[in-house]
PDB file of all heavy atoms in Angstrom:
ATOM      1  N   GLU A  56      -2.645  -3.200  20.079  1.00  0.00           N
ATOM      2  CA  GLU A  56      -2.997  -2.160  19.100  1.00  0.00           C
ATOM      3  C   GLU A  56      -3.350  -0.858  19.821  1.00  0.00           C
ATOM      4  O   GLU A  56      -4.186  -0.884  20.757  1.00  0.00           O
ATOM      5  CB  GLU A  56      -4.195  -2.682  18.266  1.00  0.00           C
ATOM      6  CG  GLU A  56      -4.914  -1.634  17.429  1.00  0.00           C
ATOM      7  CD  GLU A  56      -3.988  -0.911  16.435  1.00  0.00           C
ATOM      8  OE1 GLU A  56      -3.267  -1.572  15.687  1.00  0.00           O
ATOM      9  OE2 GLU A  56      -3.954   0.355  16.463  1.00  0.00           O
ATOM     10  N   LYS A  57      -2.721   0.208  19.365  1.00  0.00           N
ATOM     11  CA  LYS A  57      -2.955   1.507  20.046  1.00  0.00           C
ATOM     12  C   LYS A  57      -4.359   2.082  19.814  1.00  0.00           C
ATOM     13  O   LYS A  57      -4.959   2.783  20.655  1.00  0.00           O
ATOM     14  CB  LYS A  57      -1.880   2.509  19.641  1.00  0.00           C
ATOM     15  CG  LYS A  57      -2.100   3.206  18.282  1.00  0.00           C
ATOM     16  CD  LYS A  57      -0.992   4.217  17.951  1.00  0.00           C
ATOM     17  CE  LYS A  57      -1.160   5.583  18.525  1.00  0.00           C
ATOM     18  NZ  LYS A  57      -2.175   6.381  17.898  1.00  0.00           N
ATOM     19  N   ASN A  58      -4.906   1.795  18.601  1.00  0.00           N
ATOM     20  CA  ASN A  58      -6.207   2.399  18.307  1.00  0.00           C
ATOM     21  C   ASN A  58      -7.378   1.461  18.819  1.00  0.00           C
ATOM     22  O   ASN A  58      -7.129   0.363  19.267  1.00  0.00           O
ATOM     23  CB  ASN A  58      -6.262   2.601  16.777  1.00  0.00           C
ATOM     24  CG  ASN A  58      -5.370   3.730  16.312  1.00  0.00           C
ATOM     25  OD1 ASN A  58      -5.338   4.797  16.941  1.00  0.00           O
ATOM     26  ND2 ASN A  58      -4.609   3.536  15.253  1.00  0.00           N
ATOM     27  N   SER A  59      -8.606   1.964  18.632  1.00  0.00           N
ATOM     28  CA  SER A  59      -9.693   1.248  19.226  1.00  0.00           C
ATOM     29  C   SER A  59     -10.242   0.129  18.291  1.00  0.00           C
ATOM     30  O   SER A  59     -11.048  -0.652  18.737  1.00  0.00           O
ATOM     31  CB  SER A  59     -10.877   2.202  19.486  1.00  0.00           C
ATOM     32  OG  SER A  59     -11.286   2.885  18.278  1.00  0.00           O
ATOM     33  N   THR A  60      -9.776   0.057  17.064  1.00  0.00           N
ATOM     34  CA  THR A  60     -10.100  -1.040  16.140  1.00  0.00           C
ATOM     35  C   THR A  60      -8.815  -1.593  15.525  1.00  0.00           C
ATOM     36  O   THR A  60      -7.808  -0.906  15.441  1.00  0.00           O
ATOM     37  CB  THR A  60     -11.042  -0.528  15.005  1.00  0.00           C
ATOM     38  OG1 THR A  60     -10.396   0.501  14.320  1.00  0.00           O
ATOM     39  CG2 THR A  60     -12.369  -0.110  15.524  1.00  0.00           C
ATOM     40  N   VAL A  61      -8.892  -2.825  15.141  1.00  0.00           N
ATOM     41  CA  VAL A  61      -7.739  -3.510  14.403  1.00  0.00           C
ATOM     42  C   VAL A  61      -7.665  -2.992  12.985  1.00  0.00           C
ATOM     43  O   VAL A  61      -8.613  -2.410  12.441  1.00  0.00           O
ATOM     44  CB  VAL A  61      -7.825  -5.038  14.453  1.00  0.00           C
ATOM     45  CG1 VAL A  61      -7.818  -5.499  15.854  1.00  0.00           C
ATOM     46  CG2 VAL A  61      -8.973  -5.522  13.680  1.00  0.00           C
ATOM     47  N   GLY A  62      -6.476  -3.228  12.330  1.00  0.00           N
ATOM     48  CA  GLY A  62      -6.346  -2.944  10.930  1.00  0.00           C
ATOM     49  C   GLY A  62      -5.214  -1.972  10.647  1.00  0.00           C
ATOM     50  O   GLY A  62      -4.839  -1.839   9.451  1.00  0.00           O
ATOM     51  N   GLY A  63      -4.633  -1.330  11.654  1.00  0.00           N
ATOM     52  CA  GLY A  63      -3.537  -0.395  11.332  1.00  0.00           C
ATOM     53  C   GLY A  63      -4.063   0.676  10.373  1.00  0.00           C
ATOM     54  O   GLY A  63      -5.091   1.301  10.621  1.00  0.00           O
ATOM     55  N   ARG A  64      -3.363   0.823   9.254  1.00  0.00           N
ATOM     56  CA  ARG A  64      -3.787   1.878   8.312  1.00  0.00           C
ATOM     57  C   ARG A  64      -5.004   1.535   7.508  1.00  0.00           C
ATOM     58  O   ARG A  64      -5.575   2.367   6.812  1.00  0.00           O
ATOM     59  CB  ARG A  64      -2.596   2.171   7.352  1.00  0.00           C
ATOM     60  CG  ARG A  64      -1.450   2.770   8.090  1.00  0.00           C
ATOM     61  CD  ARG A  64      -0.185   2.898   7.276  1.00  0.00           C
ATOM     62  NE  ARG A  64       0.972   3.172   8.052  1.00  0.00           N
ATOM     63  CZ  ARG A  64       1.863   4.064   7.862  1.00  0.00           C
ATOM     64  NH1 ARG A  64       1.769   4.897   6.823  1.00  0.00           N
ATOM     65  NH2 ARG A  64       2.840   4.245   8.693  1.00  0.00           N
ATOM     66  N   ALA A  65      -5.373   0.246   7.576  1.00  0.00           N
ATOM     67  CA  ALA A  65      -6.491  -0.229   6.779  1.00  0.00           C
ATOM     68  C   ALA A  65      -7.775  -0.292   7.755  1.00  0.00           C
ATOM     69  O   ALA A  65      -8.345  -1.297   8.028  1.00  0.00           O
ATOM     70  CB  ALA A  65      -6.243  -1.619   6.291  1.00  0.00           C
ATOM     71  N   ARG A  66      -8.115   0.901   8.126  1.00  0.00           N
ATOM     72  CA  ARG A  66      -9.315   1.041   8.964  1.00  0.00           C
ATOM     73  C   ARG A  66     -10.520   1.412   8.195  1.00  0.00           C
ATOM     74  O   ARG A  66     -10.440   1.632   6.976  1.00  0.00           O
ATOM     75  CB  ARG A  66      -9.040   2.021  10.162  1.00  0.00           C
ATOM     76  CG  ARG A  66      -8.137   1.390  11.204  1.00  0.00           C
ATOM     77  CD  ARG A  66      -7.336   2.401  11.913  1.00  0.00           C
ATOM     78  NE  ARG A  66      -8.232   3.311  12.734  1.00  0.00           N
ATOM     79  CZ  ARG A  66      -8.037   4.592  12.894  1.00  0.00           C
ATOM     80  NH1 ARG A  66      -6.987   5.178  12.389  1.00  0.00           N
ATOM     81  NH2 ARG A  66      -8.859   5.253  13.687  1.00  0.00           N
ATOM     82  N   GLN A  67     -11.640   1.617   8.866  1.00  0.00           N
ATOM     83  CA  GLN A  67     -12.909   1.920   8.144  1.00  0.00           C
ATOM     84  C   GLN A  67     -13.588   3.139   8.903  1.00  0.00           C
ATOM     85  O   GLN A  67     -13.563   3.230  10.102  1.00  0.00           O
ATOM     86  CB  GLN A  67     -13.818   0.690   8.276  1.00  0.00           C
ATOM     87  CG  GLN A  67     -14.996   0.673   7.335  1.00  0.00           C
ATOM     88  CD  GLN A  67     -15.739  -0.648   7.511  1.00  0.00           C
ATOM     89  OE1 GLN A  67     -16.195  -1.022   8.609  1.00  0.00           O
ATOM     90  NE2 GLN A  67     -15.993  -1.355   6.407  1.00  0.00           N
ATOM     91  N   LEU A  68     -14.247   3.931   8.023  1.00  0.00           N
ATOM     92  CA  LEU A  68     -15.103   4.996   8.552  1.00  0.00           C
ATOM     93  C   LEU A  68     -16.533   4.706   8.095  1.00  0.00           C
ATOM     94  O   LEU A  68     -16.778   4.501   6.922  1.00  0.00           O
ATOM     95  CB  LEU A  68     -14.607   6.377   7.995  1.00  0.00           C
ATOM     96  CG  LEU A  68     -15.571   7.540   8.142  1.00  0.00           C
ATOM     97  CD1 LEU A  68     -15.688   7.924   9.599  1.00  0.00           C
ATOM     98  CD2 LEU A  68     -15.083   8.764   7.381  1.00  0.00           C
TER      99      LEU A  68
END
Side-chain angles (χ1 to χ4, degrees):
E56 164 58 52
K57 81 181 276 286
N58 292 314
S59 59
T60 56
V61 299
R64 297 173 193 227
R66 285 153 66 216
Q67 194 178 56
L68 168 66

